[in-house]
Coordinates of all heavy atoms in Angstrom, one line a residue:
I2 N -4.0 40.1 11.6 CA -5.0 39.0 11.9 C -5.1 38.2 10.6 O -5.6 38.7 9.6 CB -6.4 39.6 12.2 CG1 -6.3 40.4 13.5 CG2 -7.4 38.5 12.4 CD1 -7.6 41.1 13.9
P3 N -4.6 36.9 10.6 CA -4.5 36.1 9.4 C -5.9 35.8 8.9 O -6.6 35.0 9.5 CB -3.7 34.9 9.8 CG -3.8 34.8 11.2 CD -4.0 36.2 11.7
V4 N -6.3 36.3 7.7 CA -7.6 36.1 7.1 C -7.5 35.5 5.7 O -6.7 36.0 4.9 CB -8.4 37.4 7.1 CG1 -9.8 37.2 6.5 CG2 -8.6 37.9 8.5
G5 N -8.3 34.5 5.4 CA -8.4 34.0 4.1 C -7.2 33.1 3.7 O -6.3 32.9 4.5
E6 N -7.3 32.7 2.4 CA -6.2 31.8 1.9 C -5.1 32.5 1.2 O -4.1 31.9 0.9 CB -6.9 30.8 0.9 CG -7.5 31.5 -0.3 CD -8.1 30.5 -1.3 OE1 -7.4 29.5 -1.6 OE2 -9.2 30.7 -1.7
T7 N -5.1 33.8 1.1 CA -4.1 34.5 0.4 C -3.5 35.6 1.3 O -4.2 36.2 2.1 CB -4.6 35.2 -0.9 OG1 -3.5 35.8 -1.6 CG2 -5.7 36.2 -0.6
V8 N -2.2 35.8 1.1 CA -1.5 36.9 1.9 C -1.6 38.2 1.2 O -1.7 39.2 1.9 CB 0.0 36.4 2.2 CG1 0.7 37.6 2.8 CG2 0.0 35.2 3.0
V9 N -1.5 38.2 -0.1 CA -1.5 39.4 -0.9 C -2.5 39.3 -2.0 O -2.9 38.2 -2.4 CB -0.1 39.7 -1.5 CG1 0.9 40.1 -0.4 CG2 0.4 38.5 -2.3
A10 N -3.0 40.5 -2.4 CA -4.0 40.5 -3.5 C -4.0 41.9 -4.2 O -3.8 42.9 -3.5 CB -5.4 40.1 -3.0
D11 N -4.2 42.0 -5.5 CA -4.2 43.3 -6.2 C -5.2 44.2 -5.6 O -5.0 45.4 -5.5 CB -4.5 43.0 -7.7 CG -3.4 42.3 -8.4 OD1 -2.3 42.0 -7.8 OD2 -3.6 41.9 -9.5
R12 N -6.4 43.7 -5.3 CA -7.5 44.5 -4.8 C -7.1 45.3 -3.5 O -7.7 46.3 -3.2 CB -8.8 43.7 -4.6 CG -8.7 42.6 -3.6 CD -9.9 41.7 -3.7 NE -9.8 40.6 -2.7 CZ -9.2 39.4 -3.0 NH1 -8.6 39.3 -4.2 NH2 -9.2 38.4 -2.1
Y13 N -6.2 44.7 -2.7 CA -5.9 45.3 -1.4 C -5.2 46.7 -1.5 O -5.2 47.4 -0.6 CB -5.0 44.4 -0.6 CG -5.6 43.1 -0.2 CD1 -4.8 42.0 0.3 CD2 -7.0 42.9 -0.2 CE1 -5.4 40.8 0.8 CE2 -7.6 41.7 0.3 CZ -6.7 40.7 0.7 OH -7.3 39.5 1.2
V14 N -4.7 47.0 -2.7 CA -3.9 48.2 -2.8 C -4.7 49.2 -3.7 O -4.1 50.2 -4.2 CB -2.5 48.0 -3.4 CG1 -1.6 47.4 -2.4 CG2 -2.6 47.2 -4.7
Y15 N -6.0 49.1 -3.8 CA -6.8 50.0 -4.6 C -6.7 51.4 -4.1 O -6.3 52.3 -4.9 CB -8.3 49.6 -4.6 CG -9.1 50.4 -5.6 CD1 -8.9 50.3 -6.9 CD2 -10.1 51.3 -5.1 CE1 -9.7 51.1 -7.8 CE2 -10.8 52.1 -6.0 CZ -10.6 52.0 -7.3 OH -11.4 52.7 -8.2
I16 N -6.9 51.7 -2.8 CA -6.7 53.0 -2.3 C -5.2 53.3 -1.9 O -4.6 54.3 -2.2 CB -7.5 53.3 -1.0 CG1 -8.9 53.8 -1.5 CG2 -6.9 54.3 -0.1 CD1 -9.8 54.3 -0.3
P17 N -4.5 52.3 -1.3 CA -3.1 52.6 -0.9 C -2.2 53.1 -2.0 O -1.3 53.9 -1.7 CB -2.6 51.2 -0.4 CG -3.9 50.6 0.2 CD -4.9 51.0 -0.8
L18 N -2.4 52.6 -3.3 CA -1.5 53.1 -4.3 C -1.6 54.6 -4.6 O -0.7 55.2 -5.2 CB -1.8 52.3 -5.6 CG -1.3 50.9 -5.8 CD1 -1.4 50.4 -7.2 CD2 0.2 50.8 -5.4
L19 N -2.7 55.2 -4.1 CA -2.8 56.7 -4.3 C -1.6 57.4 -3.6 O -1.1 58.4 -4.2 CB -4.1 57.1 -3.6 CG -4.3 58.6 -3.4 CD1 -4.2 59.4 -4.7 CD2 -5.7 58.9 -2.8
G20 N -1.1 56.9 -2.5 CA 0.0 57.5 -1.8 C 1.3 57.4 -2.7 O 2.1 58.4 -2.8
I21 N 1.5 56.2 -3.3 CA 2.7 56.1 -4.1 C 2.6 56.9 -5.4 O 3.6 57.5 -5.8 CB 2.9 54.6 -4.4 CG1 3.0 53.7 -3.2 CG2 4.2 54.4 -5.2 CD1 4.0 54.1 -2.2
C22 N 1.4 56.9 -6.0 CA 1.2 57.7 -7.2 C 1.5 59.2 -6.9 O 2.1 59.9 -7.7 CB -0.2 57.6 -7.7 SG -0.6 55.9 -8.4
Y23 N 1.1 59.7 -5.7 CA 1.4 61.0 -5.3 C 2.9 61.3 -5.3 O 3.3 62.4 -5.8 CB 0.7 61.3 -4.0 CG 1.1 62.7 -3.4 CD1 0.6 63.9 -3.9 CD2 1.9 62.7 -2.3 CE1 1.0 65.1 -3.4 CE2 2.3 63.9 -1.7 CZ 1.9 65.1 -2.3 OH 2.2 66.3 -1.8
I24 N 3.6 60.4 -4.6 CA 5.1 60.6 -4.5 C 5.7 60.7 -5.9 O 6.6 61.5 -6.2 CB 5.7 59.5 -3.7 CG1 5.2 59.6 -2.2 CG2 7.2 59.6 -3.8 CD1 5.7 58.5 -1.4
M25 N 5.3 59.8 -6.8 CA 5.8 59.7 -8.2 C 5.5 61.0 -8.9 O 6.4 61.6 -9.6 CB 5.2 58.5 -8.9 CG 5.6 57.2 -8.4 SD 7.4 56.8 -8.5 CE 7.9 57.0 -6.8
A26 N 4.3 61.5 -8.8 CA 3.9 62.8 -9.5 C 4.7 64.0 -8.9 O 5.2 64.8 -9.7 CB 2.4 63.0 -9.3
E27 N 4.8 64.0 -7.6 CA 5.6 65.1 -7.0 C 7.1 65.1 -7.5 O 7.7 66.1 -7.8 CB 5.6 65.1 -5.5 CG 4.3 65.5 -4.9 CD 4.1 67.0 -4.8 OE1 5.0 67.7 -5.3 OE2 3.2 67.5 -4.1
G28 N 7.6 63.9 -7.6 CA 9.0 63.7 -8.0 C 9.2 64.1 -9.5 O 10.2 64.7 -9.8
F29 N 8.2 63.7 -10.3 CA 8.3 64.1 -11.7 C 8.3 65.6 -11.9 O 9.1 66.1 -12.6 CB 7.2 63.4 -12.5 CG 7.1 63.8 -14.0 CD1 7.9 63.2 -14.9 CD2 6.3 64.9 -14.4 CE1 7.9 63.6 -16.2 CE2 6.3 65.3 -15.7 CZ 7.0 64.6 -16.6
V30 N 7.3 66.2 -11.3 CA 7.2 67.7 -11.4 C 8.4 68.4 -10.9 O 8.8 69.4 -11.4 CB 5.9 68.1 -10.7 CG1 5.8 69.7 -10.7 CG2 4.6 67.6 -11.5
W31 N 9.0 67.9 -9.8 CA 10.2 68.5 -9.2 C 11.3 68.4 -10.2 O 12.0 69.4 -10.4 CB 10.5 67.8 -7.9 CG 11.7 68.4 -7.2 CD1 11.8 69.5 -6.5 CD2 13.1 67.8 -7.3 NE1 13.1 69.7 -6.0 CE2 13.9 68.7 -6.5 CE3 13.6 66.7 -7.9 CZ2 15.3 68.4 -6.4 CZ3 15.0 66.4 -7.8 CH2 15.8 67.3 -7.0
L32 N 11.5 67.3 -10.8 CA 12.6 67.1 -11.8 C 12.3 68.0 -13.0 O 13.2 68.6 -13.5 CB 12.7 65.6 -12.2 CG 13.3 64.7 -11.3 CD1 13.1 63.2 -11.8 CD2 14.7 65.0 -11.0
Y33 N 11.1 68.1 -13.4 CA 10.7 68.8 -14.6 C 11.0 70.3 -14.4 O 11.4 71.0 -15.4 CB 9.2 68.6 -15.0 CG 8.8 69.2 -16.3 CD1 9.0 68.5 -17.5 CD2 8.2 70.5 -16.3 CE1 8.6 69.1 -18.7 CE2 7.8 71.0 -17.5 CZ 8.0 70.3 -18.7 OH 7.6 70.9 -19.9
A34 N 10.8 70.8 -13.2 CA 10.9 72.2 -12.9 C 12.4 72.6 -12.6 O 12.6 73.8 -12.5 CB 10.0 72.6 -11.7
R35 N 13.3 71.7 -12.6 CA 14.7 72.0 -12.3 C 15.3 72.9 -13.3 O 15.2 72.6 -14.5 CB 15.5 70.8 -12.1 CG 15.1 69.8 -11.0 CD 15.1 70.4 -9.6 NE 16.5 70.6 -9.2 CZ 16.9 71.2 -8.1 NH1 15.9 71.8 -7.3 NH2 18.1 71.3 -7.7
R36 N 16.0 74.0 -12.9 CA 16.6 74.9 -13.9 C 18.1 74.5 -13.9 O 18.9 75.0 -13.1 CB 16.4 76.3 -13.5 CG 14.9 76.8 -13.6 CD 14.8 78.2 -13.2 NE 13.4 78.7 -13.4 CZ 13.0 79.9 -13.2 NH1 13.9 80.8 -12.8 NH2 11.7 80.2 -13.3
I37 N 18.4 73.7 -14.8 CA 19.8 73.2 -14.9 C 20.2 73.2 -16.4 O 19.4 73.5 -17.3 CB 20.0 71.7 -14.4 CG1 19.0 70.8 -15.1 CG2 19.8 71.7 -12.9 CD1 19.1 69.4 -14.6
K38 N 21.5 72.9 -16.6 CA 22.0 72.9 -18.0 C 21.2 71.9 -18.9 O 20.9 70.8 -18.4 CB 23.5 72.6 -18.0 CG 24.2 72.7 -19.3 CD 25.7 72.4 -19.2 CE 26.4 72.6 -20.5 NZ 27.8 72.4 -20.4
H39 N 20.9 72.3 -20.1 CA 20.1 71.5 -21.0 C 18.7 71.1 -20.5 O 18.2 70.0 -20.7 CB 20.9 70.2 -21.3 CG 22.3 70.4 -21.9 ND1 22.5 71.2 -23.0 CD2 23.5 70.0 -21.4 CE1 23.8 71.2 -23.2 NE2 24.4 70.5 -22.2
A40 N 18.2 72.0 -19.7 CA 16.9 71.8 -19.1 C 15.8 71.5 -20.1 O 14.9 70.6 -19.9 CB 16.4 73.0 -18.2
Y41 N 15.9 72.2 -21.3 CA 14.8 71.9 -22.3 C 14.9 70.5 -22.8 O 13.8 69.9 -22.9 CB 15.1 72.9 -23.5 CG 14.2 72.7 -24.7 CD1 12.8 73.1 -24.6 CD2 14.6 72.1 -25.8 CE1 11.9 73.0 -25.6 CE2 13.7 72.0 -26.9 CZ 12.4 72.4 -26.8 OH 11.5 72.2 -27.8
L42 N 16.1 70.0 -23.1 CA 16.2 68.6 -23.6 C 15.7 67.6 -22.5 O 15.1 66.6 -22.8 CB 17.6 68.3 -24.0 CG 18.1 69.1 -25.2 CD1 19.6 68.8 -25.5 CD2 17.3 68.7 -26.5
I43 N 16.1 67.9 -21.2 CA 15.7 67.0 -20.1 C 14.2 67.0 -20.0 O 13.6 65.9 -19.8 CB 16.4 67.5 -18.8 CG1 17.9 67.3 -18.9 CG2 15.8 66.7 -17.6 CD1 18.7 67.8 -17.7
R44 N 13.6 68.1 -20.2 CA 12.1 68.2 -20.1 C 11.4 67.4 -21.2 O 10.4 66.7 -21.0 CB 11.6 69.6 -20.1 CG 11.9 70.4 -18.8 CD 11.6 71.8 -18.9 NE 11.9 72.5 -17.6 CZ 11.8 73.8 -17.4 NH1 11.3 74.6 -18.4 NH2 12.1 74.3 -16.3
I45 N 12.0 67.5 -22.4 CA 11.5 66.7 -23.5 C 11.6 65.2 -23.2 O 10.7 64.4 -23.4 CB 12.2 67.0 -24.8 CG1 11.8 68.4 -25.2 CG2 11.8 66.0 -25.9 CD1 12.6 68.9 -26.5
F46 N 12.8 64.8 -22.6 CA 13.0 63.4 -22.3 C 12.0 63.0 -21.2 O 11.5 61.9 -21.3 CB 14.4 63.3 -21.8 CG 14.7 61.9 -21.2 CD1 14.9 60.8 -22.0 CD2 14.8 61.7 -19.8 CE1 15.2 59.5 -21.5 CE2 15.0 60.5 -19.3 CZ 15.2 59.4 -20.1
L47 N 11.8 63.8 -20.2 CA 10.9 63.4 -19.1 C 9.5 63.3 -19.6 O 8.8 62.3 -19.2 CB 11.0 64.5 -18.0 CG 12.2 64.5 -17.1 CD1 12.2 65.7 -16.2 CD2 12.3 63.3 -16.3

């Protein structure tokens, strides 16, 4: 339903970004927990 003079606005994603932040955090922790060669160095880098 077209409302107002703008199509997008920063304030519109105040709650929605929570979903993306959750994916990013899960992805980071998954990578950090991987047991692979040079895992210690990779964790420092991450």
